[in-house]
Amino acid sequence: MDIPRITIAGIKSKVGKTTIAIGLMKALTDRGYVVQPYKVGPDFIDPIFHYFATKRHSRNLDDFMFSKYDILEAFERSFKGADIAVIEGKTGLYDSHNALDEKGSTASIAKILKSPVILVADAERINRSISAMLLGYKLFDRDVDIEGVILNRVGNPRHAEKVRKSVEKLAKMRVVGVIPRTAVDMPYRHLGLVPAHERGEIEEVIEKLAEMVETYVDVDKVVEIAHKAPKLEEVSYNAVFERRNSSVRIGVVRDKPFCFYYQDNIDALSAKAEVVVVDSLKDRKLPEVDALYIGGGFPEVFAEGLEKNKPFRKSVYKFCDSGKPVYAECGGLMFLGESIINDEGEFEMVGFLPIKTRMHTKFRALGYCVYRAVKANPISRVGDTIVGHEFHYSEVIPLEKLDFAYRVRRGKGVDGKHDGIIRKNTLANYIHLHVLSYPKMVEKFLKTAEKMRRS
């Protein structure tokens, strides 16, 4: 399968990889290309920016959670109708889930997809030494096809010429861009970049990023490199995305407070049920649905607005209490509790789960998770292994003894040993699941909804 593609990878975090990747996506879109964006690893925020730049939903690729087949399937399925793929890496090129294994790294994904790599290196306050660093990246794994580098945050023209010459002559690496320190601001929140839809000036910012890339990066050369990528083995689509007629309606709370969803999860549900989008700030009550899915996000940022929409919260409580299936992740877990406590005070939430959640200034958990299902629940079977990830600053404060669906093998969950608070047919956990890491979640969720409709 012929798919022009390029991977934008950093030598480490916060070298400007995301701003350059978004700028490239927008620059290519402005040139008339249909760009399909991708993000390596478990990330919800960068893909939101990808959508604003390309008007196509970004897809996550992660070989800790997915098999090689799943990565190829997700990549090829989502590329349909596109002209070029831009894959944004995570952290540093070789950073993975542990000190030795490459699983979960950008390099591993690039090798599976046979994708050429453009490195982004921070050249601020460094000159000749950058060549030693980049040479190490070239030699560390010769199976990674590093085709060039973008030198970011260079100083004056003299400094720019010095680092370029050093990299080309000493590291023998093609320089496809030299970007000076830029005034384009991409602010960070505690989980990463501020979500795109919270920034009123986002369109203007993305336009500036595209202008920056067009000015300082050889976009034609990047496109040329992308078109030299070898053909990929064509794989069949995963059965979880096959369409099936069903009268089940699933409400998905997808709005400003709850915006962390893998698009593949929504697509898999949409293939077998009617998905109804719900807004927790604007809607006064839930629509007529058979099941409810509440993703992660920033409910603590919108806590006051969520508290003020009391009719909606009461509607959610009534739905949970009815025994219809509810699945909530991270921010959704916080919303279903009694209250959220942040720097501005304590805000009342749905109150169905006997917990409060308190925000902290430092991470409470971050990384991949491996769980074992130990209690029946709306999305998984007892005995199954669940693989996903968690990242949150909140802490659960139990108000009574909790029932849990999962035992933690790797990760933290709610208390270091358990995750997945169960009450009736409501499951709320910190772990974020991707349908390709656990496809059974769709069928189990729908069967639970159908069973409750008949009862």
Side-chain angles (χ1 to χ4, degrees), residues 109-129:
I109 296 297
K111 289 198 291 186
I112 290 170
L113 296 179
K114 301 176 184 177
S115 174
V117 173
I118 300 292
L119 277 177
V120 176
D122 187 346
E124 190 172 20
R125 296 184 178 88
I126 193 171
N127 50 65
R128 188 168 175 266
S129 297

Side-chain angles (χ1 to χ4, degrees), residues 284 309-320 349-350:
R284 305 303 286 174
N309 195 355
K310 189 173 182 179
F312 182 78
R313 290 188 289 108
K314 290 180 70 174
S315 174
V316 173
Y317 185 102
K318 184 178 178 181
F319 189 90
C320 294
M349 294 292 121
V350 172

Side-chain angles (χ1 to χ4, degrees), residues 224-237:
E224 180 186 321
I225 293 169
H227 276 274
K228 288 181 178 178
K231 288 187 177 182
L232 287 172
E233 169 196 0
E234 191 166 354
V235 299
S236 58
Y237 287 178

